[in-house]
Amino acid sequence: MLRIFTKDVQVPWCSYRRLLHSCPRVEHENPLGLPRRPGPPPQMPRRNAPIQKRSLPHVKKVLVVASGKGGVGKSTIAVNLAFALAMQRHNLSHQPRVGILDLDIFGPSTPKLMGLESAEEPRLTEGGAIIPITNHGLPCMSMGFLLPRSTDSGSNTDTPVVWRGLMVQKAVQQLLFDVDWREHDNGTGLDLLVIDMPPGTGDVPLTLGQLVNVDGAVIVSTPQDVALADVRKGVAMFKKISVPITGLVLNTSYFKCPTCTTPHYIFGQPDSFHSTANHLGAKVLGELPLVAGVSKSSDKGVPYMLEAAGDEEWKSTMKQIADDVWKTLA
């Protein structure tokens, strides 16, 4: 019999396991440390077991922005696309309410991109739900807001999340179902929630796709073949979990130097990208040029769509992408 030795006391493994399961607060059941809320929690995704997908509370439409590979500018595009969507009324009778949810548990970027690195920890409603933090007029939520801060810098950018898969799945569930997206002066929910996904095809996208009614997915890539290979995997994953593909976006497609108007394809021609899109039956939403101001604006915590002196070609392309997304979601 396997025994656990603790301070010279032998504890049989079966008793040790019962002790863990009888603890009043099991850490992986509530990784964000939220107050217990009434009602049954969302089901955990389990192999070969049917799970009823749910809509997110106070959210009409859900759009995910994803990439098979990291480092392609997905988070930057997700944040700027959210603002571009919020700027277009489309067929709505009012200015749309758009929110941003950062589901990258291990590498959250939204606090930096939204200028909220030093924001206070989110407040809770009386019912124990998380209240999103608003900046530049858009509410947003991220794991980065919940991490402990350094006493030296006051920031949490260097604080790692060291969790196994079960903790990640439960944290994702809490960020999905325990955030109150309503405007607290009039109770109005979101017309659209843009979710910034982590790269790859792991626990987070699978948990989202199995638990939530997702209305569309925008896949971001760069022109290199190594990035396009991961795009094919990402599209296949979303199709497997019945998430519709809204379209593909090619980032850093070309560069225009200040002294000429000729596009320079410094990362390769976009032919392979278009070929991949045709093969997958996915629409190409747009090709964004490489613009130095996008990086500078992101480092300042100001989305490039809000820059008055921003590159008009980049912003025009992003507006067109937003218009196509609204049409598809409608």
Side-chain angles (χ1 to χ4, degrees), residues 1-321:
M1 178 186 297
L2 178 62
R3 295 178 179 271
I4 306 297
F5 292 84
T6 306
K7 293 184 178 180
D8 300 326
V9 177
Q10 300 182 26
V11 182
W13 170 245
C14 59
S15 300
Y16 190 76
R17 184 174 57 184
R18 283 197 299 270
L19 174 64
L20 288 178
H21 283 263
S22 63
C23 290
R25 181 183 181 276
V26 182
E27 189 177 42
H28 69 251
E29 287 294 328
N30 188 11
L32 302 188
L34 299 178
R36 296 294 180 181
R37 303 184 67 195
Q43 291 177 284
M44 287 291 289
R46 300 187 186 280
R47 182 173 298 187
N48 301 325
I51 296 177
Q52 185 66 39
K53 291 188 178 184
R54 299 166 52 183
S55 297
L56 297 183
H58 315 297
V59 175
K60 294 179 181 178
K61 297 283 186 179
V62 175
L63 176 75
V64 301
V65 179
S67 67
K69 191 171 187 62
V72 298
K74 166 189 54 63
S75 296
T76 301
I77 289 178
V79 168
N80 281 279
L81 178 58
F83 279 90
L85 290 163
M87 293 174 182
Q88 294 191 344
R89 181 168 296 183
H90 206 60
N91 292 328
L92 299 175
S93 59
H94 58 278
Q95 199 69 29
R97 283 202 75 228
V98 179
I100 306 168
L101 174 59
D102 182 359
L103 275 191
D104 195 339
I105 302 297
F106 297 109
S109 302
T110 293
K112 176 70 174 178
L113 296 172
M114 290 290 290
L116 292 170
E117 288 177 290
S118 301
E120 295 294 327
E121 187 171 312
R123 296 180 293 113
L124 301 180
T125 66
E126 292 183 359
I130 306 173
I131 299 176
I133 300 177
T134 299
N135 198 21
H136 307 302
L138 258 67
C140 59
M141 185 59 207
S142 170
M143 184 69 194
F145 299 147
L146 305 174
L147 299 177
R149 304 179 185 280
S150 167
T151 54
D152 298 329
S153 63
S155 174
N156 55 17
T157 53
D158 297 329
T159 304
V161 176
V162 187
W163 284 350
R164 294 189 184 274
L166 189 57
M167 289 276 282
V168 173
Q169 289 185 45
K170 292 298 294 187
V172 168
Q173 287 189 44
Q174 291 183 308
L175 289 172
L176 288 171
F177 295 101
D178 290 333
V179 177
D180 190 341
W181 292 101
R182 290 175 294 179
E183 271 189 317
H184 291 279
D185 54 349
N186 56 23
T188 304
L190 293 181
D191 295 294
L192 176 64
L193 177 64
V194 176
I195 300 182
D196 179 18
M197 302 293 292
T201 57
D203 286 332
V204 175
L206 285 174
T207 301
L208 174 75
Q210 290 176 319
L211 294 180
V212 179
N213 291 317
V214 180
D215 298 282
V218 172
I219 312 296
V220 181
S221 180
T222 50
Q224 299 93 329
D225 288 342
V226 67
L228 294 174
D230 289 333
V231 165
R232 292 189 285 270
K233 297 174 185 175
V235 170
M237 178 204 64
F238 280 123
K239 289 182 177 179
K240 190 172 183 178
I241 57 179
S242 302
V243 172
I245 304 299
T246 305
L248 309 184
V249 173
L250 182 61
N251 195 24
T252 63
S253 176
Y254 57 89
F255 172 74
K256 285 185 178 179
C257 66
T259 59
C260 68
T261 58
T262 304
H264 301 278
Y265 295 98
I266 56 179
F267 297 123
Q269 293 283 340
D271 300 345
S272 295
F273 173 78
H274 287 277
S275 176
T276 299
N278 290 333
H279 175 73
L280 297 172
K283 180 179 181 179
V284 175
L285 296 173
E287 298 183 30
L288 292 165
L290 176 62
V291 176
V294 175
S295 177
K296 294 179 181 179
S297 179
S298 299
D299 287 343
K300 292 189 301 181
V302 179
Y304 197 63
M305 289 299 296
L306 303 182
E307 290 282 6
D311 182 88
E312 287 303 320
E313 185 173 2
W314 195 96
K315 294 168 73 172
S316 175
T317 302
M318 184 60 75
K319 289 178 182 177
Q320 182 59 52
I321 294 171

